[in-house]
Amino acid sequence: MTRRDAEAITPADPVTVVADPPVYPSHLTGESLRLAAIDVGSNSIHMVVAQIDPDGGVTTLWRMKEHTALGRLTFPKRHINKQAIDRGLAVLARFKHAAQAKQAEKFVAVATSAVREASNGGEFIQRAWREHRIRIRVVDAREEARLIYLGARHGGCFGDAPDEPGLLLDIGGGSTEVIVGTNERAMVLESKKLGASRMTARFVKSDPPEEEEIDKLRKFYRKELGPIVENSVLPTSPTKFIATSGTLENIAAMCAAGAKSPDPTGIERKRLDKLVSKLLKSTSDERAELPGLDAQRKDQIVAGVVLVQELMTMVEPLGLDRIDLCGSALREGILVDYVQKKLPKMQIRRDVPDPRRRSVLDLCRRSEWHKQHSTQVTRLALRLFDELQGVHQLGPLDRELLEYASLMHDIGWHIGGKGHHKHSAYLIRHGRLKGFSDEEIETMALIARFHRKAMPSKKHEDYQALPSRARRTVDVCSALLRVADGLDRSHANVVRDLDCRTKGDRVIVKLDVNGEAELEVWGATRKSEWFETVFKKTIEFRVG
């Protein structure tokens, strides 16, 4: 390992922490989810902690960044040495501790080209999980571009006009993303292996860089980016040029340093050209002293600034002579992507504070349940339970299990219609329901299992394995569920309400209906055999 490599992984590198805002918003409640999004990049590891509200709102609370230089040690050898892996894992440990101090409940981490291309990238991912319980998802080039687009759009960088596209540039350590999009959709998502660390390792060997090295670098940029600009960017006619990433932020800061009218929020072409001329003549040590440049980027900034200059030249026909900085990038994209995928679950979190009920409804949603029918059957099953409580004498917990089993009784259709009652039981057992004991889960599974077809008997091993008290719950609740299911035979919510009267060995169920109920009466009568066995009473249905 060279002295430069040793410097890249020294623990002396600073941690950048930005609180945005410095205090937590007072309107945030426990119904929201606090999420930590981690971007394991080629130059740095970034983290943002945000509050995800049930309506999909994202509020950034805290940011952290630490330089790791994984890319410098990966390109072009395609191998991350042990010191770099240890350094990256130490950063993740510090980030996790800091996020937990901010009450982060969930961690979502992605890794890009440095880990993606390393022959031992899997070791880094395995250790991150084994040692710190951080699961890292490695994203491919196009997915990386998509996440960057989502982050920039979330940050409002494309503006409000839905039909005015913007050109977005992101220069990482291993790859460069060229994106065209509007506030509504992505039009171009391109990712090329043109990251500043990679290009430095390949082309910039001298200090200061030799003219021949820069000529080869420019020629390579034109070869790789020219077709993208000609065939994809120019035809979309973007009206603005925006950029994200630390490399672009440093370039903007250097362009602004010493200017009469400093503007660190953008990069003007004239100032960029002056900066390029200055950097190409400088040594690494001289660049480290330049205002606006992070010392960790002193070696790779040349490759980055030349790329920006070449791309600005290529898009001159569009009249774009200024680049505006965008403060949102991949990590914000991770947040937005999570929200888009998890919003239904977040809405359940808001609307259903009870974790047991929320877990049941989440399984129903994941199983593409027949919501209208299942909620109607559940309502009727609970009415029967309440009306006949003096007969069966079960308690509130039994009622709760009946409710949840009724909601889930038909989720087996997600697997198949034939034998769907058995499929429902399987999904309940293996649906990762939270807050329930194993016995409660098995009780609900069997209530759903016996809502049709065979009735519980000694030949059913799972049923026999339950304690006698739980078997009684299965008997009564499955009997009620069968009748309730029959009372919605048409799936048309015909039965508005019911009340029960017990006369000796008879139960008379009076139905309040909003239409023709012959099919419902037929369905309930047909499914009453198990009820009459359990309750030792005949059952009769009357309309009106």
Side-chain angles (χ1 to χ4, degrees), residues 72-100:
R72 178 186 294 175
L73 303 177
T74 303
F75 312 124
K77 298 178 182 179
R78 294 180 177 270
H79 183 84
I80 309 174
N81 63 38
K82 184 179 184 301
Q83 294 95 327
I85 290 179
D86 291 342
R87 169 61 185 274
L89 293 172
V91 171
L92 289 178
R94 289 194 288 274
F95 280 15
K96 182 175 182 179
H97 179 77
Q100 289 176 331

Side-chain angles (χ1 to χ4, degrees), residues 159-215:
D160 297 327
D163 56 348
E164 291 186 11
L167 169 62
L168 172 62
L169 174 66
D170 185 295
I171 301 176
S175 63
T176 289
E177 282 67 46
V178 177
I179 299 163
V180 178
T182 68
N183 196 40
E184 292 187 343
R185 66 186 181 95
M187 304 166 70
V188 176
L189 292 172
E190 293 284 353
S191 181
K192 303 292 289 186
K193 294 181 178 181
L194 301 176
S197 292
R198 189 194 302 272
M199 294 296 96
T200 299
R202 180 170 178 177
F203 290 100
V204 184
K205 311 292 185 181
S206 307
D207 189 28
E210 295 180 356
E211 184 176 346
E212 183 180 359
E213 293 173 346
I214 300 303
D215 288 343

Side-chain angles (χ1 to χ4, degrees), residues 240-258:
K240 63 182 70 176
F241 195 165
I242 54 182
T244 185
S245 76
T247 296
L248 274 300
E249 291 174 356
N250 274 219
I251 293 173
M254 286 189 290
C255 286

Side-chain angles (χ1 to χ4, degrees), residues 255 267-277 309 312 321-322:
C255 286
I267 302 170
E268 301 285 350
R269 177 60 191 268
K270 291 182 180 180
R271 291 181 180 177
L272 176 68
D273 291 341
K274 291 180 180 180
L275 178 63
V276 172
S277 298
Q309 187 182 49
M312 290 196 80
D321 58 359
R322 173 186 168 83

Side-chain angles (χ1 to χ4, degrees), residues 97-169:
H97 179 77
Q100 289 176 331
K102 303 300 176 186
Q103 290 82 48
E105 306 168 55
K106 175 78 174 178
F107 290 81
V108 182
V110 303
T112 54
S113 54
V115 175
R116 182 171 66 228
E117 298 179 27
S119 60
N120 61 337
E123 177 185 346
F124 181 85
I125 294 169
Q126 283 185 335
R127 287 187 58 187
W129 173 249
R130 186 172 64 247
E131 297 174 19
H132 306 302
R133 281 300 184 261
I134 296 177
R135 194 180 301 279
I136 299 176
R137 176 170 66 100
V138 178
V139 296
D140 60 25
R142 183 174 176 82
E143 175 67 359
E144 183 177 357
R146 187 185 73 86
L147 292 173
I148 292 170
Y149 163 74
L150 289 178
R153 187 181 68 177
H154 172 72
C157 300
F158 289 99
D160 297 327
D163 56 348
E164 291 186 11
L167 169 62
L168 172 62
L169 174 66

Side-chain angles (χ1 to χ4, degrees), residues 28-36 50-59 103-108 334-355 357-359 361-363 365-366 434:
L28 298 177
T29 70
E31 295 178 354
S32 300
L33 171 69
R34 196 158 291 184
L35 177 68
Q51 197 82 17
I52 312 298
D53 293 331
D55 61 358
V58 179
T59 304
Q103 290 82 48
E105 306 168 55
K106 175 78 174 178
F107 290 81
V108 182
I334 298 170
L335 293 172
V336 174
D337 187 58
Y338 182 90
V339 169
Q340 290 179 348
K341 293 177 179 177
K342 303 294 184 179
L343 185 56
K345 191 172 183 178
M346 292 299 299
Q347 290 171 333
I348 289 178
R349 185 185 180 95
R350 175 194 63 195
D351 299 334
V352 187
D354 177 56
R357 183 180 301 275
R358 186 166 65 235
S359 183
L361 292 177
D362 182 53
L363 176 57
R365 179 186 58 80
R366 287 186 279 123
K434 298 177 182 178

Side-chain angles (χ1 to χ4, degrees), residues 15-26:
V15 179
T16 301
V17 180
V18 180
D20 179 23
V23 294
Y24 300 133
S26 60

